Amino acid sequence: MTSKIKRGVSLYSFQEEMFLGKMTLDDVVGFAASIGAPGIEILPEQNMPTFPNITDQQIGEWQDRLARHGAHFTCYDMFLDTKLRKGEVMSDEEQVASIVRDLKLCNRLGIKNMRILIFVRPDILEQCVPYAEQYDVHMGVEVHAPWYLDHAWILRTIEVADRLKTKHLGILPDMGIFMKHYPPAFRGRFERQGARPEVAQFIVDSHEQKIMCEYTIYEVAVKMGGNKAEVAMAETLRHAPFANPKRIADFAPYFRHIQAKFYEMTPDCTDPSIAYDEVIPQLVKAGWEGTLSSEYEGNRWIQDVEDVDSREQVRRQHVMFEKLIAKAEAEVEPA
Amino acid sequence: MFDKFLIDATSLRNIGPDEAPTGFAFEAKLGYYRGLGLSMIEELNVSIDGEAVAREAVTFDEGEGPITLDAMETAYDRRWPFGTPATIAVAHPGGFPEGEHRLGFQQKLRISYLPFPSFNNDEKVVSL
């Protein structure tokens, strides 16, 4: 069968190469298409230097670029600068206006999904729903670690979406919420910064056992006399949850796009920390139709010792996706 | 997230008359994964061999003209785009000191979704 799950990349994945001028927008779009991941998630504030002033000509250039490579837009990552003015938080009216500005640009670009930062208040989004409907853009609140699908803050957005019976407000999970094992890339960086191997192992073991992070932080900081790198490593546990992938089915009607976060892929194309082998079967079982959009965030953990190769990392993730999706579909639909 | 890449060490030069430089300048990037409005850049701290230069001595120019850090606080319609060098100029009579010195550059950013300020730090040994 042809999979309902589509594949793509977030341009966030190539931030290292683009920051350093080693890859152009043409390069990243072309690369994504070349590995069978033609769905492009864009961060206008990263990839459109004149943001928020975008001309029709610039939009035309983007459409040409996508067409040239056989790619298409999937999602627009918005930001909301509530602290634009020093010592003052933006008024509610200004927040709505900023989001409406993004919805309009989304619509002009022909993008149907917008990633909403998780800190945006549900009542602000409620005020934006009529505009989201008008411009036909789904606002998906990013479910980002340390939050998770069932978290009370996320449930507030779901409540608003249900009450308004709208198809234009929901969620947008970031797969970092399914961190089953502590990322080796994190550990390596902290060890290079001075974490002792035995303390690092203690932290990794604690995460493996899902001991509440505050216990581990106390052990490391107080009882083990942890140094700066060790305490910092223990504190990463606060943002390293493993949520239950089985809950995906309950929330699938509320999302149309996924940020497929990852920190590293091994040469044999497996992810040593995020539990995609449990997540993908749940998505397939739920009959979910949307895009798995690679979000490589490993660059900052290795750039101190090696050149980052985002292309190879993203390529490996898509090899894994292809394999896991095919396997899950074969199991759901017996021949 | 891009700390080691902030200062372009090859861009360091003196400014003002050759015989009596009034300061020095270099190109730098914003250490963040998107562009940011100038009003959210709270500090651009420059130091030489660990000694901070005065805030008033620093100006910034992303291409729209030099601006002081105080004026940046209300520059709501200017942005420092992602991956794009801007000129950091420092008033420093005599120019950059002769010989090898550690040039430090720190950015303090106000990121709306973070409860705390974000700091980016780079330091490079440079000479003219």
Side-chain angles (χ1 to χ4, degrees):
Chain A
M1 66 182 273
T2 309
S3 178
K4 293 174 179 172
I5 298 177
K6 298 176 271 291
R7 294 188 287 116
V9 300
S10 166
L11 298 192
Y12 182 94
S13 296
F14 305 99
Q15 57 178 269
E16 182 99 357
E17 284 85 351
M18 287 198 289
F19 184 89
L20 296 174
K22 291 179 175 176
M23 288 180 87
T24 64
L25 291 167
D26 254 313
D27 292 338
V28 292
V29 171
F31 174 74
S34 78
I35 58 167
I40 303 295
E41 176 174 351
I42 185 172
L43 294 76
E45 297 188 39
Q46 177 190 79
N47 314 121
M48 296 182 163
T50 63
F51 181 91
N53 306 309
I54 309 296
T55 63
D56 288 343
Q57 187 190 332
Q58 286 170 295
I59 290 179
E61 285 163 11
W62 263 103
Q63 303 300 357
D64 290 347
R65 174 179 295 127
L66 294 171
R68 207 160 52 238
H69 294 292
H72 58 273
F73 278 135
T74 56
C75 186
Y76 173 120
D77 289 5
M78 62 77 89
F79 292 87
L80 178 63
D81 289 320
T82 55
K83 299 182 197 166
L84 179 70
R85 292 184 298 274
K86 196 172 185 178
E88 186 185 336
V89 178
M90 234 182 209
S91 70
D92 289 5
E93 292 74 22
E94 288 174 313
Q95 292 189 38
V96 170
S98 174
I99 296 168
V100 171
R101 173 200 70 186
D102 288 316
L103 289 169
K104 283 183 187 166
L105 184 51
C106 224
N107 175 275
R108 286 173 67 207
L109 288 162
I111 304 178
K112 300 280 190 187
N113 295 300
M114 187 158 90
R115 184 291 311 265
I116 305 286
L117 282 170
I118 192 166
F119 87 127
V120 181
R121 284 168 21 217
D123 60 299
I124 294 287
L125 294 174
E126 179 165 356
Q127 294 180 55
C128 296
V129 163
Y131 300 96
E133 291 176 340
Q134 180 187 342
Y135 296 111
D136 194 19
V137 176
H138 181 269
M139 298 186 295
V141 174
E142 133 188 81
V143 184
H144 191 289
W147 287 269
Y148 44 88
L149 293 169
D150 277 311
H151 193 284
W153 174 256
I154 301 303
L155 297 181
R156 285 182 58 197
T157 291
I158 302 270
E159 184 275 325
V160 172
D162 284 349
R163 178 160 46 77
L164 299 181
K165 298 187 172 56
T166 180
K167 298 220 177 305
H168 292 83
L169 174 64
I171 58 175
L172 192 156
D174 176 310
M175 298 289 101
I177 61 179
F178 300 112
M179 187 191 282
K180 190 162 191 180
H181 309 292
Y182 193 81
F186 288 21
R187 175 182 186 160
R189 177 86 194 240
F190 287 117
E191 288 192 347
R192 289 192 297 279
Q193 290 172 348
R196 291 164 288 176
E198 62 274 22
V199 179
Q201 189 60 47
F202 173 78
I203 294 166
V204 169
D205 290 343
S206 301
H207 182 267
E208 201 63 27
Q209 294 160 40
K210 307 300 171 244
I211 289 167
M212 188 170 75
C213 58
E214 300 302 334
Y215 288 105
T216 309
I217 294 167
Y218 184 79
E219 287 281 332
V220 170
V222 179
K223 294 197 183 167
M224 300 170 98
N227 63 35
K228 199 177 164 198
E230 290 159 356
V231 173
M233 181 176 170
E235 285 177 337
T236 60
L237 297 176
R238 288 205 174 106
H239 297 265
F242 175 57
N244 186 354
K246 288 185 176 165
R247 298 293 282 130
I248 286 173
D250 296 332
F251 290 88
Y254 296 98
F255 60 87
R256 313 197 313 194
H257 187 81
I258 286 175
Q259 289 183 327
K261 167 75 56 67
F262 71 110
Y263 300 101
E264 62 193 310
M265 293 293 300
T266 59
D268 67 347
C269 301
T270 57
D271 187 325
S273 63
I274 311 286
Y276 282 103
D277 54 337
E278 295 179 47
V279 165
I280 302 283
Q282 294 298 328
L283 288 169
V284 169
K285 211 161 83 181
W288 184 72
E289 299 182 37
T291 303
L292 275 173
S293 182
S294 288
E295 197 182 60
Y296 174 53
E297 196 171 312
N299 64 319
R300 66 189 68 172
W301 296 97
I302 59 167
Q303 64 188 183
D304 59 316
V305 282
E306 58 184 281
D307 284 342
V308 172
D309 187 352
S310 307
R311 269 174 284 211
E312 177 59 12
Q313 288 293 310
V314 170
R315 186 193 70 80
R316 289 177 187 174
Q317 193 194 33
H318 283 274
V319 170
M320 176 185 75
F321 284 157
E322 263 191 287
K323 199 171 75 184
L324 290 177
I325 291 169
K327 182 166 179 271
E329 284 175 348
E331 282 165 9
V332 166
E333 210 176 271
Chain B
M1 52 204 73
F2 297 113
D3 283 26
K4 67 187 262 198
F5 304 120
L6 303 186
I7 298 171
D8 176 357
T10 66
S11 67
L12 183 68
R13 73 266 186 191
N14 280 330
I15 51 178
D18 282 350
E19 62 281 10
T22 55
F24 62 91
F26 58 95
E27 307 298 306
K29 291 179 180 177
L30 177 70
Y32 190 36
Y33 64 87
R34 65 166 171 132
L36 201 62
L38 299 194
S39 68
M40 291 167 280
I41 296 164
E42 296 196 340
E43 298 285 354
L44 295 175
N45 297 312
V46 178
S47 67
I48 300 168
D49 298 325
E51 195 170 322
V53 305
R55 174 180 160 94
E56 297 74 38
V58 178
T59 58
F60 169 91
D61 186 358
E62 85 287 30
E64 296 292 314
I67 184 171
T68 65
L69 298 187
D70 283 352
M72 278 173 79
E73 292 194 343
T74 51
Y76 301 122
D77 55 355
R78 284 173 64 168
R79 292 177 73 86
W80 191 353
F82 169 79
T84 304
T87 302
I88 311 300
V90 181
H92 196 76
F96 196 76
E98 274 187 29
E100 282 198 343
H101 294 275
R102 284 182 292 121
L103 173 64
F105 184 51
Q106 182 190 57
Q107 305 166 351
K108 180 185 179 191
L109 312 177
R110 199 165 65 246
I111 306 296
S112 291
Y113 61 80
L114 297 178
F116 41 77
S118 175
F119 289 96
N120 301 317
N121 298 287
D122 190 10
E123 187 174 79
K124 290 193 167 76
V125 173
V126 287
S127 58
L128 275 177

